[in-house]
Amino acid sequence: LSPHVLPVPLLASDWINPAYYSPMPRDQRDIDILMVANWLPFKRHWLLFDALRSMPRSLSVVLIGIAAPGRSTDVLKREARAFGVKQDIQFVSNVPIAEVARYQCRAKTAVIFSAREGSCVAVSESLFADTPVGMMRDAHIGSMRYINSRTGRLFQRLRLGRQLLDFVERSSEYAPRRWAE
């Protein structure tokens, strides 16, 4: 339709109001890894579970999502056990967006492990919560274009646990909200 119609270079996830996020100071954040993703298989929670088994037991990990047919919180708990996850993961299901935002503002890092999806609003939300986001380098996700040296990290599959632990340990080096604003 060009030159009469030109697309606006925005994603659906760009309509986030930063005023809804009150990030906690870095030294007060009590969640090491947060994953906000529905419980469906395409969100690939198994990548996180596989990485966690080689990571310290003391990590604080929170998964927030909503149940779907055949994919309840109990199913994810069984998957985590099957992978040998030793951390005490907190599963939070079906909570209002304001509560999700509070978790995002408490997290040191956030991860998205989908291989392919649209704009993934959880990425933009995390940036305004001043929480850096980690994604897989080979993912095809619209909001991946927002991941850079100030906002997060792109992971490779090999030694994902090591990369994720380094990401948590260096999380205070990122400034995602400043970049997003």
Side-chain angles (χ1 to χ4, degrees), residues 67-161:
R71 298 287 295 175
S72 66
T73 303
D74 290 336
V75 169
L76 265 75
K77 288 179 180 179
R78 284 194 299 273
E79 286 180 8
R81 280 194 301 273
F83 272 93
V85 171
K86 54 191 176 247
Q87 295 81 6
D88 185 21
I89 298 175
Q90 180 183 354
F91 291 86
V92 180
S93 187
N94 302 324
V95 295
I97 189 63
E99 189 169 344
V100 173
R102 283 191 290 276
Y103 277 98
Q104 289 169 317
C105 290
R106 292 172 43 201
K108 294 176 185 173
T109 65
V111 295
I112 299 295
F113 287 134
S114 307
R116 178 181 302 276
E117 67 174 284
S119 60
C120 189
V121 72
V123 173
S124 296
E125 291 170 345
S126 293
L127 298 182
F128 284 116
D130 206 26
T131 301
V133 179
M135 301 171 83
M136 299 307 292
R137 182 175 304 284
D138 60 352
H140 297 277
I141 300 172
S143 49
M144 178 187 243
R145 72 182 196 189
Y146 300 149
I147 305 302
N148 58 54
S149 62
R150 294 171 56 198
T151 62
R153 183 182 282 182
L154 299 176
F155 303 122
Q156 296 178 7
R157 178 72 180 91
L158 187 63
R159 295 184 188 92
L160 179 57

Side-chain angles (χ1 to χ4, degrees), residues 31-33 45-63 76-91 161-162 164-165 168:
I31 300 169
D32 293 309
I33 301 169
H45 293 84
W46 68 269
L47 275 170
L48 177 61
F49 299 152
D50 188 41
L52 285 172
R53 68 177 159 190
S54 68
M55 297 172 72
R57 178 184 297 270
S58 60
L59 286 175
S60 171
V61 180
V62 176
L63 302 183
L76 265 75
K77 288 179 180 179
R78 284 194 299 273
E79 286 180 8
R81 280 194 301 273
F83 272 93
V85 171
K86 54 191 176 247
Q87 295 81 6
D88 185 21
I89 298 175
Q90 180 183 354
F91 291 86
R162 283 187 192 171
L164 190 50
L165 185 58
V168 171

